[in-house]
Amino acid sequence: MPEASTQEEAPEPPPQRTPKYLTYVRKECRLRPDQLDALTALARKLNRERKGKGERITENTLIRWAVDEFLKRHPSTRKGEPDSMKEEV
């Protein structure tokens, strides 16, 4: 007769979540010093205002947001569009 186990099995640890920033594709971008300073200042200001609620806002967060906003305004590339976009940028 097999002996009944009196020890309970340890529960499996919850699956580890991948940090959100690791789900993004890495892309280098060169900025002017004044652009980087402004992004840093804005990220700090927004983080202070949110008082620790939600995800931390970084310079990269702001760059991703700006790219999303730009792409909303220019959803497709059409012939001749780069020249017209230069005027708007």
Side-chain angles (χ1 to χ4, degrees):
M1 188 188 244
E3 202 171 298
S5 175
T6 56
Q7 293 179 346
E8 292 183 26
E9 289 184 29
E12 290 185 32
Q16 294 206 355
R17 292 177 39 189
T18 302
K20 193 172 183 178
Y21 78 95
L22 289 178
T23 64
Y24 299 128
V25 176
R26 184 174 181 84
K27 176 67 180 161
E28 185 175 324
C29 176
R30 295 189 176 260
L31 302 172
R32 295 186 319 260
D34 63 303
Q35 291 173 318
L36 184 55
D37 290 345
L39 281 174
T40 301
L42 181 57
R44 286 180 181 160
K45 177 181 183 278
L46 293 172
N47 280 313
R48 275 193 307 271
E49 288 176 0
R50 68 181 190 82
K51 298 179 180 161
K53 297 176 187 166
E55 292 184 27
R56 181 172 64 106
I57 297 170
T58 65
E59 291 92 346
N60 286 332
T61 307
L62 298 174
I63 292 169
R64 283 191 299 273
W65 176 84
V67 169
D68 285 342
E69 290 301 309
F70 180 82
L71 293 174
K72 284 179 192 174
R73 291 186 175 98
H74 304 283
S76 64
T77 54
R78 294 183 292 271
K79 227 178 202 183
E81 190 175 41
D83 290 336
S84 63
M85 284 175 36
K86 285 179 191 174
E87 294 169 12
E88 295 177 32
V89 178

